[in-house]
Amino acid sequence: RETLYEKGIPYTMLASDMELRRKSIFFLGQTLEALRRENPDLDFHFWTLIHERGNTPDRRPVVDLKFLRGLVDRTLRNYELSGIYVVEAQGLGNHPGKGEGRTIMVHAHAITWSADKFDMAAAEKGVNSSDAWHNPEGATPVIIKPIPQMPGELAYMAYYLFKPPYDVTMMEQRKGGE
């Protein structure tokens, strides 16, 4: 069997390659934990980034990955952050409903860090009020959370970045929206 690298497609990780995912999770987690131990002044943050151009119907799936990757990259660079991000596809099982199939939500998660002080609340407010990020589904387009300074937290977040795709997430009707 010819590998993707031999076909001229380097640095590609398929979602179905569970062995590579497990190894990637382990090495990324160990590397981030070591980075934190060696640089205790670094602040680490976990980002969830959702844009409407990542939503596509499962019956005619088309996603502009170049656009999404570029938008994530520019956002992190604007704040002069170092980090790693992963683009993830997640099925929304009962949306749009009415027999129209389901929506595939392609979005990104990132772990970032900076030696400089990073105002997480101001960044989140600034990104969400910009014209760049929008999501008509009602979700906040960009959410940033601090990663606690406890051993194992970065390794866990590395797992979250590379977690296997699940079949579907069901949207629930709630008082404040879906």
Side-chain angles (χ1 to χ4, degrees), residues 133-153:
W133 288 94
H134 22 99
N135 187 330
E137 306 301 331
T140 303
V142 177
I143 298 172
I144 311 167
K145 302 269 187 197
I147 299 175
Q149 293 216 12
M150 296 170 25
E153 287 295 316

Side-chain angles (χ1 to χ4, degrees), residues 89-108:
Q90 182 175 10
L92 302 176
N94 58 341
H95 184 74
K98 303 177 187 102
E100 296 179 31
R102 64 181 175 189
T103 296
I104 299 171
M105 180 179 65
V106 179
H107 58 288

Side-chain angles (χ1 to χ4, degrees), residues 6 32 43-45 47 70 75 82 86-87 94 109 121 132 141 153 165:
E6 291 166 338
L32 290 174
D43 287 327
F44 288 84
H45 299 90
W47 296 59
T75 300
S82 298
V86 172
V87 176
N94 58 341
H109 292 294
E153 287 295 316

Side-chain angles (χ1 to χ4, degrees), residues 7 17-18 20 26 33 44 53 65 72 78 97 113 121 165 176:
K7 291 179 182 178
D17 190 337
M18 297 309 291
L20 182 57
F26 176 77
E33 291 287 343
F44 288 84
R53 285 180 61 181
L65 287 175
V72 171
N78 283 343
W113 59 91

Side-chain angles (χ1 to χ4, degrees), residues 49-70:
L49 306 107
I50 303 170
H51 192 279
E52 67 183 334
R53 285 180 61 181
N55 294 340
T56 185
D58 67 344
R59 296 185 182 172
R60 296 172 309 284
V62 176
V63 177
D64 188 350
L65 287 175
K66 186 175 181 181
F67 168 81
L68 290 172
R69 287 178 177 151

